Amino acid sequence: MKLLIVEDEPALRSSLVEYLRQDGYVVEAAVSYGEAHEKIKLYQYDCVLLDLTLPDGNGLDVLRTLKADNSPAGVLIISARGALDDKVLGLELGADDYLAKPFHLSELSARLKAIIRRRQFQGQRQLLFQELTVLPDQAQVLVHGEPVVLTRKEYDLLLYLLTHPGRVVTKASIAEHVWGDAADAADSFDFLYTHLKNLRRKLQDKGAADYIRSVYGVGYKFSAE
Amino acid sequence: MKLLTATNRYYVLLAGLLFTIGSGLLYVGVLWALQREVEERLLQQRDYLRREVGRTGQLPGTPFEGRMQLSAQPRPEGLHNVLLLEPLENELEPYRQLTFRLQLNGQPQWVSLSKSLLETEDVRRLIMWLLLGVLGTLLLGVVLLNRWLARRLWAPFERTLQQLSAYDVRQHQVLQLPGTRIEEFAQLNLALTRLSERVAADYAVLKEFTENAAHETRTPLAIMQAKLEQLLQLPDLPAPAGPLVADLYAAVQRLARLHQGLTLLSKIENQQFAAARPVPLAELLREKLGQLEAFVEEKQLRLEVSLPTTQALQLHPALADSLVSNLLHNAIRHNHPGGLLQVILTSKELAISNTGPVLAAGQQPARFFERFRKQNAASDSPGLGLSIVQSIASFYGFEVRYEYAAEQALHTLRVVF
């Protein structure tokens, strides 16, 4: 799986490159519009992470070039311009998703995976983890091949954690991913605990091991160890 | 008082004064001239009589027009005004009389020549009426002309004034003032146009600065957040470091949310949400309540909802969303476990009530709407929720009212459409 990261800010670029390499992607980076343009003309990528404000041009033009070339690459816009117009324009031009800075790396990685899953028609469209199988198209979870009935939120929680096996996922990023802005209504992230407890119970009832580990004061980790 | 009225007042005062003095002088002058004329005639007659008497020793036979009286008694000589009886009409009429002494047959005689002033009186009256008529008409005409001219001349000023009162810097416009031939107004318009250009340019610069500052802040926030998240992933991160990094992470999040809230507020103030479409509020509220179900259940709140389908309001979707979310989040956040959450929508207002902390005697509800005002200082919320509600409401001309019912500690926020 090959990614191109177009981001002019070195510190952010290095974080993205490193984080996504650990996720198992082949990652290349471009620091400017010129470099990005050259790379997309020369190579094929599965997904392009695109910053809109570049020193020598507009990221939207990279998107236009990709679409004009009928490139199969997915495009995820990461922009510091929070303007609604940019988002609308980006999506209209054919970007797959839009993420405003600042963002959670785990959220970025989850969205990236969703884009790749949606675009991958030949590949297996399922996530496997030990005895767990998640079929995102049907929003179904199987334990040892047996379906488990989960609520929408429990399913979203599981999918989010499962997307980051072995990684510490912060409570804030889970809350934001699963509940969105509604999480603002809570005084704290304590409500996550109730939902995770139910999820764990339902999975264990079907004979799955407990893979959801709590990381004290930080968040959770989905791990077999 | 209008400038026009004020100037007109002085103008009429001066004109009236001048006309009065002028008419008086003219009247007196004409009268004097007429009297002189009469006196001259009388003197001519006297000279004639003296000459004739000197030549013939007799008074001439032909009587003069007017009257002549002879008296042997001495009478005061000179010119006098007298009233004499007009035998035909049996009335006293004004005369000018010249009395002088004549040596007639060796005897001194006092002759009085009289000439009627009645004609003079007629002329005087005629002149008076003419003067009054002409001068009055002239004065009135001048006042009217002046008023009409002033209206006409001040019209460009009135237009400038109208444009100025309608001027709003947030519309990013420069004043478009009509051209005028009056130099002062042309100068005023030019100065105002330049001023508005400067204001618009300054405003644009300020806005661009705010936008740039906003967007430049996002990048370091993104870097901080990404690095902290990476730090959390380090396999050999000492266990006690976890919560420290997590706190730091939460602080960055809070900063990001604060930033988001302030950006939204400044965007509303800059009127960057012009687009509006009909938003059915009942539907939006139901959707939001659905998303908040987990939090309502978590606090075991008693939910009382009345959401009849009402007329859709013309709102920007993002602002409608923000308004409703902030109100609901606020009502859930500040509620106590097992409390009440009431959402009542009518065609006139949206009222959201929640039980919550008891309002202390000194607390001013108006201050809840201030930015960064928080019930609980330890709260993670940036304290912008109600400011945003207020700002969106005033953007659409809605009124936000806060009510507090002490017996239940029930806080109600009403948005009156």
Side-chain angles (χ1 to χ4, degrees):
Chain A
M1 210 52 63
K2 203 169 162 194
L3 301 181
L4 176 65
I5 296 172
V6 186
E7 167 64 63
D8 60 314
E9 192 63 40
L12 190 57
R13 188 173 61 239
S14 70
S15 281
L16 290 173
V17 170
E18 196 187 328
Y19 192 91
L20 293 173
R21 273 197 184 131
Q22 280 169 10
D23 267 358
Y25 297 104
V26 176
V27 183
E28 282 188 28
V31 302
S32 64
Y33 169 76
E35 194 181 347
H37 192 262
E38 196 182 310
K39 286 209 152 126
I40 56 166
K41 284 285 183 190
L42 285 176
Y43 311 106
Q44 287 274 329
Y45 295 95
D46 294 289
C47 196
V48 179
L49 264 71
L50 196 56
D51 184 12
L52 291 188
T53 29
L54 296 170
D56 56 343
N58 189 340
L60 286 175
D61 290 330
V62 176
L63 175 58
R64 286 194 184 97
T65 311
L66 279 169
K67 293 300 155 188
D69 293 351
N70 282 319
S71 159
V75 177
L76 172 56
I77 293 174
I78 39 173
S79 173
R81 294 198 294 226
L84 208 61
D85 303 342
D86 272 352
K87 182 172 180 175
V88 172
L89 186 60
L91 295 180
E92 266 174 11
L93 284 174
D96 295 77
D97 208 345
Y98 179 101
L99 201 53
K101 288 180 187 173
F103 46 79
H104 302 279
L105 286 176
S106 43
E107 178 66 30
L108 175 87
S109 140
R111 299 228 191 165
L112 199 57
K113 280 180 186 157
I115 292 174
I116 290 167
R117 258 202 319 269
R118 279 203 300 273
R119 295 193 154 254
Q120 226 172 30
F121 292 104
Q122 310 91 319
Q124 41 168 209
R125 307 191 64 169
Q126 57 183 23
L127 283 94
L128 296 170
F129 189 91
Q130 312 282 40
E131 65 271 29
L132 292 174
T133 309
V134 178
L135 305 168
D137 287 335
Q138 293 99 33
Q140 211 178 38
V141 179
L142 307 174
V143 177
H144 297 301
E146 287 289 307
V148 189
V149 181
L150 297 176
T151 66
R152 178 79 216 174
K153 297 292 174 201
E154 285 161 359
Y155 169 78
D156 288 345
L157 258 176
L158 177 64
L159 187 61
Y160 192 59
L161 290 172
L162 200 63
T163 315
H164 305 96
R167 280 258 167 89
V168 179
V169 184
T170 60
K171 288 178 187 173
S173 104
I174 299 174
E176 201 178 302
H177 180 84
V178 179
W179 281 274
D181 286 342
D184 280 353
D187 304 317
S188 67
F189 296 124
D190 293 348
F191 67 94
L192 284 177
Y193 178 76
T194 326
H195 291 270
L196 281 163
K197 198 176 71 183
N198 292 341
L199 175 62
R200 275 171 168 150
R201 188 178 42 76
K202 285 185 181 175
L203 292 176
Q204 283 167 351
D205 283 353
K206 291 285 173 183
D210 185 12
Y211 300 116
I212 302 171
R213 317 207 179 271
S214 168
V215 181
Y216 176 71
V218 179
Y220 296 92
K221 190 169 170 179
F222 203 82
S223 161
E225 295 143 32
Chain B
M1 194 197 299
K2 280 198 162 186
L3 184 64
L4 191 60
T5 323
T7 48
N8 240 346
R9 184 168 291 184
Y10 286 112
Y11 194 80
V12 167
L13 269 176
L14 180 69
L17 193 69
L18 283 181
F19 281 159
T20 313
I21 294 172
S23 325
L25 284 177
L26 190 61
Y27 177 70
V28 170
V30 166
L31 214 62
W32 180 77
L34 284 172
Q35 199 165 308
R36 275 291 304 272
E37 182 70 28
V38 168
E39 286 169 2
E40 222 140 83
R41 287 262 187 92
L42 288 173
L43 289 172
Q44 275 172 10
Q45 285 174 8
R46 183 193 65 181
D47 293 348
Y48 173 72
L49 278 180
R50 275 188 177 154
R51 227 173 22 244
E52 285 299 301
V53 168
R55 204 162 51 91
T56 62
Q58 294 272 313
L59 276 175
T62 335
F64 296 103
E65 42 167 331
R67 299 174 173 206
M68 188 170 74
Q69 283 170 311
L70 288 177
S71 166
Q73 298 303 311
R75 298 179 69 175
E77 290 178 43
L79 286 160
H80 310 281
N81 282 333
V82 289
L83 291 173
L84 298 176
L85 192 72
E86 175 65 45
L88 282 175
E89 292 170 32
N90 200 23
E91 272 182 348
L92 285 172
E93 284 185 351
Y95 279 82
R96 191 76 176 157
Q97 196 173 57
L98 175 68
T99 308
F100 59 94
R101 211 171 60 155
L102 260 185
Q103 208 66 30
L104 204 64
N105 304 328
Q107 294 292 315
Q109 288 278 349
W110 278 268
V111 183
S112 291
L113 292 174
S114 304
K115 199 166 165 52
S116 172
L117 285 175
L118 212 57
E119 285 168 35
T120 322
E121 187 81 354
D122 286 345
V123 171
R124 193 191 61 162
R125 208 168 285 153
L126 180 71
I127 288 174
M128 199 173 75
W129 285 118
L130 263 177
L131 268 179
L132 278 180
V134 170
L135 293 187
T137 316
L138 192 65
L139 184 65
L140 188 73
V142 163
V143 166
L144 288 178
L145 177 77
N146 192 36
R147 176 173 293 194
W148 179 76
L149 264 181
R151 285 250 166 84
R152 228 178 107 84
L153 293 179
W154 283 95
F157 182 77
E158 297 281 342
R159 280 198 292 273
T160 303
L161 203 62
Q162 269 174 11
Q163 285 230 13
L164 266 186
S165 14
Y167 183 71
D168 183 359
V169 69
R170 288 176 296 193
Q171 305 287 330
H172 315 289
Q173 66 192 4
V174 168
L175 280 173
Q176 298 292 330
L177 296 170
T180 162
R181 280 175 305 156
I182 312 292
E183 199 183 328
E184 285 84 350
F185 293 153
Q187 274 176 359
L188 176 73
N189 285 358
L190 189 68
L192 283 174
T193 310
R194 287 209 182 122
L195 180 73
S196 76
E197 275 166 6
R198 264 203 311 276
V199 167
D202 284 356
Y203 185 73
V205 167
L206 190 68
K207 209 164 135 276
E208 198 191 331
F209 172 78
T210 318
E211 273 162 17
N212 282 345
H215 130 239
E216 291 301 330
T217 329
R218 282 165 178 265
T219 308
L221 280 173
I223 295 170
M224 269 150 61
Q225 197 168 325
K227 299 290 172 191
L228 288 171
E229 217 177 328
Q230 276 185 295
L231 196 57
L232 286 173
Q233 306 303 335
L234 291 181
D236 37 11
L237 183 75
L244 293 181
V245 177
D247 282 352
L248 207 50
Y249 190 78
V252 172
Q253 290 266 294
R254 200 162 132 186
L255 201 55
R257 288 234 305 280
L258 176 67
H259 180 265
Q260 210 179 359
L262 286 175
T263 313
L264 177 66
L265 276 170
S266 75
K267 275 186 181 168
I268 297 170
E269 274 154 28
N270 289 342
Q271 314 211 330
Q272 287 173 321
F273 291 98
R277 61 161 201 241
V279 176
L281 271 191
E283 217 168 276
L284 181 63
L285 281 159
R286 263 192 288 272
E287 182 194 322
K288 287 284 158 197
L289 281 169
Q291 288 169 7
L292 291 166
E293 213 182 336
F295 308 99
V296 173
E297 276 170 18
E298 175 86 10
K299 276 202 164 165
Q300 296 173 313
L301 300 179
R302 193 152 45 84
L303 191 59
E304 286 176 13
V305 175
S306 163
L307 295 175
T309 306
T310 53
Q311 174 102 43
L313 294 173
Q314 285 288 334
L315 304 170
H316 188 285
L319 290 188
D321 193 283
S322 183
L323 178 75
V324 167
S325 302
N326 275 304
L327 283 171
L328 289 175
H329 292 177
N330 188 63
I332 295 174
R333 231 173 205 287
H334 296 122
N335 224 321
H336 51 70
L340 171 70
L341 172 61
Q342 223 175 27
V343 182
I344 293 165
L345 178 70
T346 66
S347 57
K348 288 191 186 68
E349 61 168 30
L350 168 65
I352 295 185
S353 312
N354 64 284
T355 45
V358 174
L359 200 63
Q363 274 181 302
Q364 289 168 314
R367 305 206 67 187
F368 294 161
F369 295 101
E370 286 176 10
R371 294 181 185 183
F372 309 121
R373 171 109 344 225
K374 294 199 280 186
Q375 194 80 51
N376 172 8
S379 157
D380 239 7
S381 136
L384 288 176
L386 286 186
S387 307
I388 291 174
V389 167
Q390 178 83 296
S391 182
I392 295 174
S394 58
F395 179 67
Y396 287 115
F398 303 158
E399 192 196 343
V400 184
R401 281 207 294 262
Y402 171 82
E403 281 157 29
Y404 176 66
E407 62 273 19
Q408 286 177 278
L410 192 70
H411 305 258
T412 303
L413 274 168
R414 274 176 215 285
V415 180
V416 185
F417 309 133

